[in-house]
Amino acid sequence: MTKLKTQSLKKRESELANSKRQLEILSNGIFKNGELPTFANKIAESNQFPLKSKALEILQINLGYMCNQVCEHCHVDAGPDRKEIMTKETMQQCLEVIRTTGAHTLDLTGGAPEMNPNFRWFVEEAAKAGIKDFIVRSNLTIIRANKKYYDLPEFFKKHNVHVVSSMPHWTRGKTDKQRGDGVFDKSIKALQELNAVGYGIPDSNLRLDLVYNPSGAFLPSDQASMEKDFKKVLMEDFEIQFHNLFAITNLPISRFLDYLIASDNYEDYMYQLVDAYNPTAVSNVMCTNTLSVSWDGYLYDCDFNQMLTLPVNSKIKHISEYSEQLLEGRNIVISQHCYGCTAGAGSSCQGTVA
Ligand code: SF4
Ligand code: SF4
């Protein structure tokens, strides 16, 4: 029987729900005693410190931390008990920026962004801005969670949304272990429904990509060969098609950090990340061309920094005072979790970067 933790760290009042505690763990121990180099020292070896932002390409907006799942590895610490939800007023402030930004990609995430009561209104308004690539990160099971979500595939199609969905494995056992009992079957059904309206079909403009992340304390293997395996098995077993697979490394924060510590894998995992450090991945890590907006409108270099409460190093702190010009060229705020973005072929919300 799969062991299910059905509450967020915050609800469980775990010390790791506190981002300061997470940062202490990441700064002390093997990094303080010099066994492993800090990320700042590592990137300085190839003259890449300080890491600087370039022109904005991707605006990522977190609509809230509420989710219908409580996945073991979740870096958001999302779950049904999280109440942080973006208000319509903050959405209005985001829309002002979406209408004027030079970014080519808008990326809505959560939690389950669909659970925000103003999600559909926001998508309808944001779609009018005509941004080239409009991504919604859907966990798939939300489509089957309740009757009110059953029409999401049609809704996504109507607004030409690019659907990016987590699917940690093509087997029920590995998927359910990471994401909860029953998640695999619901995800398969949701993928079939997305296919049925045209998503993921090879020549279709309706983009459907999957995200893989490892189900334990190890790094993802080669993205291209995993994509081939996923395509083969999902087609043979369930007649499911999709476009691309993104392989994402689990960053050592929040619930994955909790898992690493509880399973006594924290130090080994940090060694793996540092050993796999790839200096060529540094110039393309996602914070260099992305800005992350939290549910309450504050700005971060990436979703991970948002969860660690590490705000942007700029006098512009909130979406209501947004200035693309003033945010460009800022120093990115880094810590040891950043090794997760530079291991092997690198890792970002769009998969490998090197
Ligand atoms: S990983 Fe995604 S689906 Fe799972 S709990 Fe976190 S936000 Fe929800
Ligand atoms: S964790 Fe965030 S700040 Fe650090 S390298 Fe990755 S994207 Fe950049």
Side-chain angles (χ1 to χ4, degrees):
M1 174 85 182
T2 309
K3 189 175 164 226
L4 265 187
K5 294 200 177 102
T6 53
Q7 292 182 326
S8 66
L9 294 174
K10 187 171 182 198
K11 179 80 179 175
R12 282 185 258 153
E13 296 180 355
S14 159
E15 62 163 4
L16 282 183
N18 182 342
S19 56
K20 279 203 184 98
R21 178 65 193 130
Q22 296 179 48
L23 286 165
E24 266 170 30
I25 293 169
L26 290 167
S27 305
N28 291 326
I30 44 180
F31 291 101
K32 189 148 194 186
N33 69 17
E35 261 183 64
L36 291 177
T38 62
F39 189 72
N41 286 342
K42 195 71 185 168
I43 64 173
E45 285 172 11
S46 47
N47 298 321
Q48 296 182 92
F49 182 86
L51 190 57
K52 293 249 178 210
S53 70
K54 302 182 263 201
L56 183 73
E57 295 185 59
I58 303 170
L59 187 65
Q60 188 173 59
I61 301 179
N62 193 311
L63 296 188
Y65 302 159
M66 187 181 285
C67 188
N68 58 318
Q69 294 183 188
V70 194
C71 303
E72 192 174 49
H73 69 289
C74 182
H75 75 269
V76 179
D77 192 26
D81 55 57
R82 297 300 300 262
K83 306 295 178 223
E84 300 89 338
I85 286 283
M86 185 176 277
T87 62
K88 205 165 179 180
E89 188 192 354
T90 307
M91 286 177 166
Q92 291 277 19
Q93 292 167 347
C94 291
L95 284 168
E96 301 275 313
V97 173
I98 292 165
R99 289 180 191 122
T100 53
T101 178
H104 55 64
T105 298
L106 174 64
D107 187 339
L108 301 190
T109 187
E114 302 93 331
M115 290 178 85
N116 184 308
N118 294 307
F119 170 74
R120 292 188 193 227
W121 170 80
F122 188 57
V123 168
E124 280 160 14
E125 292 301 311
K128 290 181 198 158
I131 283 197
K132 202 166 143 222
D133 190 7
F134 184 2
I135 295 171
V136 172
R137 291 184 188 267
S138 176
N139 69 17
L140 292 174
T141 61
I142 192 70
I143 296 174
R144 301 301 310 160
N146 182 300
K147 260 201 318 231
K148 69 179 176 188
Y149 299 120
Y150 285 1
D151 67 331
L152 277 172
E154 286 290 355
F155 176 77
F156 290 148
K157 177 178 178 172
K158 183 170 168 206
H159 297 288
N160 197 22
V161 161
H162 170 178
V163 178
V164 177
S165 296
S166 287
M167 190 73 193
H169 208 258
W170 61 78
T171 59
R172 184 175 288 104
K174 285 197 173 157
T175 299
D176 286 2
K177 182 192 168 291
Q178 184 186 97
R179 294 174 79 76
D181 285 341
V183 166
F184 182 77
D185 290 340
K186 280 194 196 138
S187 302
I188 291 294
K189 180 90 178 103
L191 285 171
Q192 287 167 335
E193 287 173 1
L194 286 162
N195 278 175
V197 301
Y199 270 99
I201 311 302
D203 292 333
S204 168
N205 291 330
L206 297 169
R207 304 282 314 168
L208 173 61
D209 296 322
L210 300 186
V211 173
Y212 160 86
N213 61 290
S215 54
F218 55 92
L219 307 187
S221 51
D222 176 61
Q223 178 169 282
S225 63
M226 268 194 300
E227 180 179 292
K228 251 168 98 184
D229 293 342
F230 264 78
K231 285 197 164 163
K232 185 168 178 288
V233 180
L234 289 180
M235 172 47 86
E236 280 175 7
D237 292 358
F238 305 104
E239 294 185 15
I240 285 171
Q241 300 185 81
F242 66 95
H243 290 121
N244 294 112
L245 181 85
F246 303 146
I248 296 189
T249 302
N250 288 313
L251 263 67
I253 67 170
S254 192
R255 290 215 286 266
F256 191 66
L257 180 59
D258 180 58
Y259 157 80
L260 289 173
I261 293 171
S263 61
D264 209 14
N265 275 306
Y266 169 69
E267 290 194 0
D268 282 356
Y269 191 71
M270 296 313 292
Y271 266 92
Q272 281 184 65
L273 290 180
V274 175
D275 280 351
Y277 172 75
N278 174 2
T280 59
V282 177
S283 52
N284 291 322
V285 285
M286 68 180 168
C287 49
T288 57
N289 68 351
T290 303
L291 197 64
S292 158
V293 186
S294 62
W295 65 276
D296 49 359
Y298 285 92
L299 304 179
Y300 299 85
D301 297 312
C302 69
D303 208 43
F304 305 112
N305 282 8
Q306 183 185 139
M307 302 316 152
L308 289 170
T309 330
L310 294 171
V312 278
N313 185 358
S314 164
K315 64 179 187 192
I316 308 289
K317 294 284 183 209
H318 194 268
I319 193 76
S320 57
E321 44 191 30
Y322 184 82
S323 157
E324 210 143 301
Q325 240 179 356
L326 291 180
L327 285 158
E328 193 173 326
R330 71 189 183 276
N331 289 351
I332 306 282
V333 182
I334 55 172
S335 181
Q336 282 51 263
H337 63 296
C338 297
Y339 275 115
C341 294
T342 56
S347 178
S348 77
C349 285
Q350 265 76 31
T352 55
V353 298

